[in-house]
Amino acid sequence: MLEIDNIKFQYPEQTHPLKFALNVPENTALVVAGISGSGKSTLLNLIAGFLHPDSGDIRWREKSILGLAPAMRPISMLFQSDNLFAHLDVWTNIALGVDAGLKIDGESTEIIAQSMADLGIGDMETRPIPTLSGGQQQRVALVRALVRARLHAAGGAGGGAGSRSLLLLDEPFSALDPITKADCLAVVRRMVDDFGITAILVTHDASDAEALGADVFSLPTPC
Amino acid sequence: MPRTLAPSANCALPATLPGLLLVAGLWGFLLLALGALLGVDGGADVAGGAAPIATWFDSRIFDSRTGAILWSATSQALLSALGSLAVAVPASIMLARRYRWFGMRVLRLLVGLAFVIPTTVAASGLLAIWGRQGVINQAIDAVNAVVPEALPMVALPELPTFFGLKAVVLAHIFFNAPLMIRVFLPRILSVPDTHWRLARMMGMTAWQQGRWIEFPAMKPLILPMVGLVFLFCFSSFSLVLMLGGGLRVTTLEVEIYSALRIAFDLPMAVALTLLQVGMALGVLVVLLRLAPRQTSWNQPIMTMRAPCDDILSANNFSLKTLDIFMIAILVLLLIFPLAALAWRGVSGDMLAVLMSAHFWRAMGNSVGIAVASGVLVVGLACVLAETRTQLTLRPISPLTRGIIALLEMGVMVYLVVPAIVMGTAWFILLRGVANVFAVAPFLVLVANVMLGLPVAYRLLIGKWLAMRGRDERSRLAYGLQGWNLRGWRGVRFLTIPLMGREIGLIFGLAMAMSMGDLGVIALFASADFTTLPWLLYQQAGRYRVDEAAVTALMLMLMVSALFALGNGLGKWLARPPSLYYEAHHA
Amino acid sequence: MRPILKSTIMLMLAGQMTASLAHAESKPELIVYTYDSFAAEWGPAPQIKTAFEKKCDCQLTFVGLDSSLGILARIRLEGDNSPADVILGLDTAQTDIARDAVARHGVDDVAGKLDLPVNLPAWQDLHFVPYDWGYFAFVYDSNTLTAPPASMAELIATPTTDLRIAIQDARSSTPGFGLMLWLKTLYGAEAGAQWRALAPKIATITKGWSESYDLFLNGEVDMVLSYTTSPAYHRVAEDKTHYDYARFDEGHYMQVEVAAMLKNSDQPELARQFLAFLLTPEVQAIIPTSNWMYPAAKNTPLPDGFEVSAKPQGLLLDDALIAEHQQDWLKEWVTALSQ
């Protein structure tokens, strides 16, 4: 269970704080919908640790993760664009999610290969990123998230974070064409169903919830 | 039939024509200049006379000493270029990481200043820090004065003498690291925010972040910049002599000077110039060959903006310590010497200089030439960059590849043709046509444009290729032949807003370089026409060190002002353009 | 862009032509090539111009070139078509090279008017008229250097750690070339070896005089190659008495600055008049405090503090000898210092 416990957060230029309170059961998908300015991305950045709340707490499996650096939290995050390093190939981009120093052991190598095959990009290891389509690029980023979740499933290397099975999706598919977008959402669904991922998708398009088969949490319009 | 990326001949020709003419002009003038030198018979009064061309490559040129000189100049220039890189890369990373730190604005401004002050003035500033009577030695003396005599082993040794290869390299770092920082910093700042977030998510250490993010951002420009700095250092003359500490550290330029001035052996001077040009271009070719193929139009184009501290994970203790250490190095290396010069200026004979009409005339001339030079450099650099882009979009053939090489080399080559050679050639070409003193402002302007153009082109070309390449490719690929944003509108609504900052930067830089360059003025100065660097030289040449210090300070202030003007213009140009007012006035 | 540049040139050229036409119609013009610091506002030229024009009903134009080497290069480049009438500022190391281009000066009894050091032979050059002269010397600060070497031999023998000097490159600077001649005069064929012995004491060799003098004033070196008149400048213009020059027993190599009229001058009479004018008290009195050299003519009063001790012995090589050997000597100099 991910518990967002009465978080308050205020940007310096804003007059009113953003407030969030919700629980996300493990191994489910949740769509967070809201108009621009409602704080959708802010919520994900708070969970990921890129922003710090003024008050409240965030707990994962009943332990507060507020004091942890982003790398120590049980998360992987996908952004709208630039999720991959354009000067590196597909495999290296995925491997960086395992260890930024690229110390990859045999077990990790296998997990990477397995995950690439599972999500249907098994033959792309050495492809340069600029040659991939937008949908393919986001799929590589999803594979990277999956590898991170599987690797730390045993709860060791995460430094106490345990499995990095919380997937934060910050409108990563909104720029894709409808068919590709549906494909990607299906991949996310599989990650939830088959690999124990908990996914939170932020979107301004409520119909994504239907495609993903997920509950919708609507953020209130800011005053 | 699938559309190819090859532009049809009739639409590409006008786009490349001015640039190709310019390239032809650059090479043509070089050949003309060297030819003019060879064409002079030396006059009836010459003792010894000039050697026939056939004997150029005899032992006079290629004796063992020439080899030693070339080796000395090449190794010195390479060391200097690599040293500048070693400072500039970590400094750029630090400056990007701490973009919003208190005082960083001032630091960035000062760091940019070193590049453009006259070399011998800068050397004097460096000596004020590192020299025998410099700040460091005085500090050591002060410490030693309080260390009890009973403990002689505690006494600090004085710095070893500053002169020699290390001094030359350090001075060249002082000049060129700032230029590199100017180029690298925007590259790091245009890394997408997402990448910094990914770095934190992946728990990258500072080192890993450098390896995966910051270094790759700078990488496409590293070898070209090393090449550029190499050329600057390879042909450096007064600075190398002044700090070289003897003749072991030397360059070919002094030989060229002596051939022109003492032996009056013009063919020898031409041969040595060609040797210098050939050697420099040879190294440049190797460096550019090693550089990765230009693929930057595949990369997203980001507007430059500073990532916030939070994203950069800059808040851990060891990183802060490291950055403070880096700032200390920059201050010691780049800012202390400037401060020493400023201090000398402030304590110099301010009144005598500021009351002198001569000073204000020189200032006026220098500023006028600087502004003209800035405008010309921006214009020509844009023409060259556009031509280069058009050539790149064509199918690669040996011909286009050759033309690209000629373009790249033609821009750079004037960096290694000594001012005295160009000046003498001008004189020969103009005698009988015009009084060289009357056209002196024009000659100085041309020389300064030649100096600024290579730097401007280097700063512009990467983003230009990316931007124009993308536009042109989409136009060609999607057949947007009727796209309205061509011609002047294209310039106004695409080129200027996107390239505005770079244009402002090179405008400021070209003006500043023009202000600070002694160049050919030495040959054409007269009572009616002087420039600030020449005035500085004159003041130092008649014992007026106090006045020279003030002039140097004023020069530095003016250079900073012009620099700021360029940056301001850049911001203004880069503002989002709007048709709103136009539509409402019509 | 191009048409604009082109028309700018044309405008400049046009302006120049009308300007020179205007001159030609009024008074005869005497054009003098000299070096920059002589022609500058604060140099002797403006005062000389005023004084001479009062007498000659002509226009005297000084053209300041970058250095005396620049004058030589300019007249060689221009050959017979040089617009110059007089060249002023060569020294005796360069005169022989320019000899073919100049005419006899025709000034009466130059030798009798001159005040050269007594040990030198009388002035016999028929082409060049000296207007000032000086000695090369190593200048030091008596506050920091209490026992300067008393001879060139002592300087060369001084242990390396005790003394750091700055000199100028013989290939780009007049004093630098002068020091090379100085050692050549003293040591002849042994000069190369002596240079090698001197080398460890040389902190640096600069392109021009001003860079090394700057190093000296900032305390980076103990002694700098300059002129015996440099301390005179500090005494007279700045009231600083702690600068002095090291007086060498063997004598000091000299720089005698000369003027001559070009063979192809179109104003030979004016030129001759000007050369003679250079040795009059009127011009000579200007020299010490504007060019900071000794005036060439006898009985010229010196400002207080200009000269505080007797002049040292002068050394001077024959100019034809210099012209003949300068390339070899330069090569020897470079070789010795490159090792």
Side-chain angles (χ1 to χ4, degrees):
Chain A
M1 176 87 85
L2 174 74
E3 296 162 78
I4 314 288
D5 184 2
N6 287 314
I7 288 282
K8 262 193 207 169
F9 178 80
Q10 189 168 2
Y11 288 104
E13 64 272 17
Q14 280 180 337
T15 47
H16 295 282
L18 294 163
K19 295 173 190 164
F20 306 100
L22 75 152
N23 292 337
V24 186
E26 238 178 282
N27 209 5
T28 59
L30 175 73
V31 166
V32 177
I35 63 159
S36 299
S38 57
K40 306 186 295 282
S41 297
T42 307
L43 175 61
L44 292 194
N45 283 328
L46 284 163
I47 300 172
F50 299 130
L51 295 175
H52 301 282
D54 301 328
S55 66
D57 199 5
I58 300 175
R59 286 184 296 274
W60 173 247
R61 293 178 181 165
E62 277 139 35
K63 266 187 248 160
S64 171
I65 57 170
L66 270 192
L68 300 175
M72 295 295 122
R73 298 192 182 195
I75 53 116
S76 290
M77 188 160 171
L78 260 69
F79 304 90
Q80 284 180 26
S81 60
D82 303 309
N83 282 298
L84 305 175
F85 297 109
H87 58 285
L88 304 172
D89 66 9
V90 167
W91 191 87
T92 314
N93 262 292
I94 296 173
L96 276 179
V98 176
D99 179 65
L102 281 193
K103 290 190 196 73
I104 311 293
D105 56 21
E107 189 201 343
S108 310
T109 314
E110 258 173 55
I111 293 179
I112 293 173
Q114 186 62 48
S115 305
M116 288 181 72
D118 284 343
L119 299 193
I121 53 165
D123 51 352
M124 288 190 181
E125 279 98 342
T126 56
R127 285 275 292 276
I129 301 305
T131 65
L132 302 182
S133 70
Q136 284 170 323
Q137 292 194 17
Q138 300 304 55
R139 207 180 272 236
V140 173
L142 285 172
V143 171
R144 183 170 63 199
L146 179 58
V147 170
R148 284 162 64 82
R150 281 178 164 178
L151 258 179
H152 300 297
S163 163
R164 283 176 176 141
S165 57
L166 190 50
L167 177 61
L168 308 176
L169 303 159
D170 190 357
E171 304 201 50
F173 313 128
S174 54
L176 303 177
D177 63 82
I179 298 175
T180 316
K181 186 178 185 180
D183 276 354
C184 285
L185 288 171
V187 170
V188 174
R189 185 73 243 174
R190 272 197 64 204
M191 290 170 75
V192 175
D193 292 344
D194 301 351
F195 305 111
I197 297 282
T198 306
I200 303 177
L201 173 69
V202 148
T203 179
H204 57 268
D205 183 358
S207 69
D208 286 354
E210 216 171 303
L212 191 58
D215 294 336
V216 180
F217 178 83
S218 289
L219 287 173
T221 306
C223 36
Chain B
M1 198 188 105
R3 214 168 261 285
T4 64
L5 288 181
S8 57
N10 61 348
C11 81
L13 193 60
T16 55
L17 194 61
L20 292 181
L21 283 177
L22 184 61
V23 172
L26 287 172
W27 285 104
F29 185 70
L30 182 65
L31 295 179
L32 188 68
L34 296 181
L37 286 173
L38 288 179
V40 173
D41 60 4
D45 55 329
V46 178
I53 294 171
T55 61
W56 274 12
F57 297 103
D58 68 5
S59 58
R60 290 184 317 144
I61 296 170
F62 288 104
D63 60 8
S64 58
R65 199 158 51 81
T66 315
I69 293 169
L70 275 180
W71 167 245
S72 164
T74 310
S75 54
Q76 175 270 115
L78 273 178
L79 269 179
S80 300
L82 294 176
S84 306
L85 190 69
V87 172
V89 165
S92 305
I93 292 176
M94 182 278 293
L95 285 170
R97 185 157 53 213
R98 303 296 176 190
Y99 199 81
R100 288 164 201 269
W101 256 16
F102 170 75
M104 288 314 241
R105 217 186 154 81
V106 179
L107 189 68
R108 284 197 304 275
L109 180 78
L110 289 176
V111 160
L113 202 56
F115 177 59
V116 285
I117 50 179
T119 50
T120 51
V121 175
S124 185
L126 284 169
L127 282 163
I129 305 304
W130 303 94
R132 192 167 73 166
Q133 299 293 321
V135 172
I136 294 179
N137 265 346
Q138 283 179 11
I140 290 173
D141 287 349
V143 170
N144 286 347
V146 295
V147 168
E149 288 191 7
L151 293 166
M153 62 285 274
V154 185
L156 300 166
E158 293 220 327
L159 288 181
T161 170
F162 185 63
F163 300 98
L165 182 62
K166 59 179 180 302
V168 173
V169 170
L170 196 72
H172 281 152
I173 291 177
F174 172 79
F175 277 112
N176 295 305
L179 175 67
M180 286 186 166
I181 292 173
R182 287 243 150 230
V183 177
F184 293 156
L185 186 57
R187 300 283 303 192
I188 302 179
L189 292 178
S190 49
V191 167
D193 265 9
T194 302
H195 287 182
W196 304 118
R197 290 206 166 93
L198 285 176
R200 288 201 67 194
M201 191 181 90
M202 292 167 178
M204 286 187 189
T205 61
W207 169 252
Q208 287 163 346
Q209 188 169 298
R211 180 177 166 196
W212 301 119
I213 300 182
E214 285 132 348
F215 187 75
M218 294 181 267
K219 197 175 155 198
L221 282 170
I222 282 182
L223 284 174
M225 286 311 291
V226 167
L228 188 66
V229 171
F230 171 85
L231 293 189
F232 274 127
C233 303
F234 188 72
S235 57
S236 168
F237 177 9
S238 359
L239 185 77
V240 169
L241 278 185
M242 182 169 173
L243 295 178
L247 299 184
R248 272 181 299 273
V249 186
T250 185
T251 62
L252 265 184
E253 292 232 1
V254 62
E255 298 291 325
I256 296 171
Y257 188 93
S258 149
L260 269 180
R261 280 307 174 77
I262 295 185
F264 199 66
D265 187 348
L266 301 187
M268 176 77 159
V270 171
L272 289 171
T273 304
L274 285 176
L275 194 60
Q276 166 147 317
V277 167
M279 186 77 196
L281 290 189
V283 173
L284 204 61
V285 167
V286 173
L287 282 175
L288 292 181
R289 263 285 151 97
L290 291 174
R293 280 280 151 106
Q294 185 63 258
T295 55
S296 42
W297 61 74
N298 288 325
Q299 286 159 18
I301 297 160
M302 292 293 146
T303 38
M304 186 176 130
R305 79 188 201 91
C308 33
D309 275 1
D310 202 35
I311 301 177
L312 293 181
S313 85
N315 292 323
N316 76 58
F317 176 74
S318 57
L319 212 51
K320 269 187 182 162
T321 318
L322 192 71
D323 287 348
I324 289 169
F325 181 67
M326 192 68 227
I327 291 174
I329 287 182
L330 286 184
V331 168
L332 189 66
L333 214 56
L334 306 179
I335 299 189
F336 268 20
L338 288 175
L341 290 174
W343 174 247
R344 271 190 205 163
V346 170
S347 48
D349 199 345
M350 194 75 89
L351 211 60
V353 174
L354 296 184
M355 295 297 281
S356 129
H358 205 67
F359 167 80
W360 290 110
R361 272 207 308 277
M363 176 67 101
N365 287 336
S366 278
V367 171
I369 287 185
V371 173
S373 166
V375 171
L376 281 174
V377 164
V378 167
L380 296 181
C382 289
V383 168
L384 285 172
E386 177 63 19
T387 305
R388 170 80 167 80
T389 310
Q390 294 289 345
L391 288 170
T392 309
L393 289 170
R394 285 157 171 248
I396 293 297
S397 72
L399 181 68
T400 47
R401 208 174 283 154
I403 295 176
I404 289 176
L406 273 181
L407 187 152
E408 299 261 324
M409 298 290 159
V411 181
M412 310 291 260
V413 73
Y414 284 89
L415 286 183
V416 285
V417 180
I420 187 156
V421 171
M422 281 322 286
T424 308
W426 271 119
F427 177 79
I428 295 168
L429 291 170
L430 288 176
R431 67 177 168 172
V433 185
N435 179 345
V436 284
F437 291 104
V439 292
F442 171 72
L443 299 182
V444 172
L445 174 63
V446 172
N448 289 347
V449 168
M450 297 298 196
L451 184 74
L453 197 53
V455 181
Y457 173 78
R458 276 280 150 248
L459 291 188
L460 207 56
I461 186 64
K463 195 169 167 191
W464 194 285
L465 269 176
M467 180 205 78
R468 293 285 301 136
R470 188 193 55 176
D471 288 351
E472 287 291 284
R473 281 162 70 92
S474 47
R475 186 173 66 77
L476 296 166
Y478 301 116
L480 298 174
Q481 300 291 356
W483 199 359
N484 278 333
L485 287 179
R486 299 200 69 204
W488 165 241
R489 292 202 140 204
V491 171
R492 178 154 170 237
F493 288 97
L494 286 174
T495 313
I496 288 182
L498 284 173
M499 299 302 303
R501 277 177 183 276
E502 282 73 13
I503 288 174
L505 175 65
I506 62 175
F507 182 57
L509 210 56
M511 287 192 296
M513 283 176 77
S514 170
M515 279 298 286
D517 184 49
L518 192 58
V520 293
I521 182 66
L523 294 174
F524 303 115
S526 64
D528 301 327
F529 180 73
T530 57
T531 63
L532 222 43
W534 180 247
L535 178 66
L536 198 57
Y537 179 82
Q538 287 178 317
Q539 286 168 333
R542 56 183 182 114
Y543 302 100
R544 300 291 169 85
V545 218
D546 278 1
E547 290 178 20
V550 178
T551 308
L553 174 64
M554 290 298 149
L555 182 60
M556 278 160 56
L557 289 177
M558 199 62 217
V559 161
S560 331
L562 288 177
F563 222 80
L565 179 71
N567 276 339
L569 180 81
K571 266 184 205 156
W572 184 76
L573 287 176
R575 81 207 186 285
S578 168
L579 271 175
Y580 178 82
Y581 295 104
E582 222 164 89
H584 285 249
H585 276 290
Chain C
M1 210 73 68
R2 295 189 152 245
I4 297 174
L5 279 187
K6 216 174 185 176
S7 55
T8 316
I9 305 178
M10 292 317 238
L11 274 177
M12 284 169 164
L13 296 185
Q16 182 56 30
M17 277 166 198
T18 48
S20 46
L21 280 177
H23 286 314
E25 277 166 24
S26 51
K27 292 176 181 173
E29 186 185 21
L30 187 71
I31 298 176
V32 179
Y33 280 4
T34 183
Y35 48 83
D36 172 74
S37 63
F38 196 93
E41 251 171 54
W42 48 83
Q47 295 177 63
I48 295 177
K49 178 179 160 75
T50 318
F52 189 66
E53 284 179 352
K54 264 185 212 154
K55 295 195 165 146
C56 72
D57 191 38
C58 68
Q59 192 193 337
L60 176 60
T61 306
F62 282 100
V63 176
L65 303 173
D66 63 302
S67 63
S68 62
L69 288 170
I71 305 172
L72 202 53
R74 177 61 65 91
I75 58 161
R76 288 164 129 186
L77 283 173
E78 289 175 338
D80 293 346
N81 303 320
S82 177
D85 301 296
V86 171
I87 49 173
L88 181 153
L90 300 191
D91 67 32
T92 44
Q94 303 160 325
T95 43
D96 199 60
I97 300 161
R99 198 170 291 281
D100 288 343
V102 300
R104 293 193 168 209
H105 54 64
V107 180
D108 293 336
D109 189 26
V110 171
K113 291 176 179 143
L114 292 183
D115 183 30
L116 285 169
V118 283
N119 66 307
L120 292 182
W123 188 260
Q124 292 187 328
D125 197 312
L126 297 172
H127 295 99
F128 294 95
V129 180
Y131 61 89
D132 69 16
W133 55 274
Y135 301 95
F136 296 118
F138 285 96
V139 173
Y140 68 97
D141 179 348
S142 60
N143 286 344
T144 52
L145 189 66
T146 43
S151 65
M152 186 67 86
E154 196 183 321
L155 168 64
I156 291 170
T158 308
T160 302
T161 48
D162 293 359
L163 205 59
R164 308 278 295 159
I165 63 173
I167 64 169
Q168 297 95 46
D169 197 308
R171 294 164 294 176
S172 56
S173 135
T174 313
F177 195 74
L179 181 61
M180 184 193 83
L181 296 177
W182 195 350
L183 265 78
K184 199 75 208 171
T185 317
L186 296 180
Y187 301 109
E190 288 301 301
Q194 299 297 329
W195 271 110
R196 273 192 291 281
L198 182 62
K201 274 143 297 224
I202 301 173
T204 200
I205 304 171
T206 64
K207 181 189 172 198
W209 171 87
S210 58
E211 291 103 315
S212 25
Y213 210 79
D214 190 48
L215 291 176
F216 166 69
L217 289 180
N218 285 320
E220 291 304 322
V221 290
D222 302 301
M223 297 207 299
V224 61
L225 176 63
S226 186
Y227 298 87
T228 61
T229 42
S230 300
Y233 170 84
H234 294 295
R235 281 191 301 268
V236 174
E238 296 181 333
D239 272 333
K240 289 179 184 161
T241 52
H242 56 95
Y243 294 108
D244 206 346
Y245 70 91
R247 208 183 163 83
F248 284 181
D249 293 343
E250 300 100 329
H252 289 243
Y253 196 83
M254 292 179 59
Q255 182 179 30
V256 181
E257 296 195 291
V258 298
M261 54 182 285
L262 290 176
K263 240 195 289 193
N264 294 306
S265 163
D266 51 4
Q267 302 288 347
E269 272 320 303
L270 267 182
R272 247 178 220 121
Q273 214 184 319
F274 177 74
L275 292 180
F277 183 65
L278 285 175
L279 283 177
T280 60
E282 216 176 340
V283 173
Q284 289 292 304
I286 299 170
I287 295 288
T289 52
S290 61
N291 216 30
W292 297 100
M293 295 284 269
Y294 285 108
K298 274 179 194 160
N299 303 325
T300 310
L302 290 173
D304 282 346
F306 194 87
E307 196 172 31
V308 292
S309 55
K311 292 190 183 79
Q313 261 205 345
L315 305 170
L316 206 53
L317 283 179
D318 179 60
D319 61 345
L321 194 72
I322 296 171
E324 190 187 339
H325 293 292
Q326 66 168 7
Q327 285 304 313
D328 297 334
W329 292 349
L330 278 173
K331 202 161 190 174
E332 178 190 59
W333 180 83
V334 173
T335 312
L337 289 176
S338 298
Q339 280 162 7

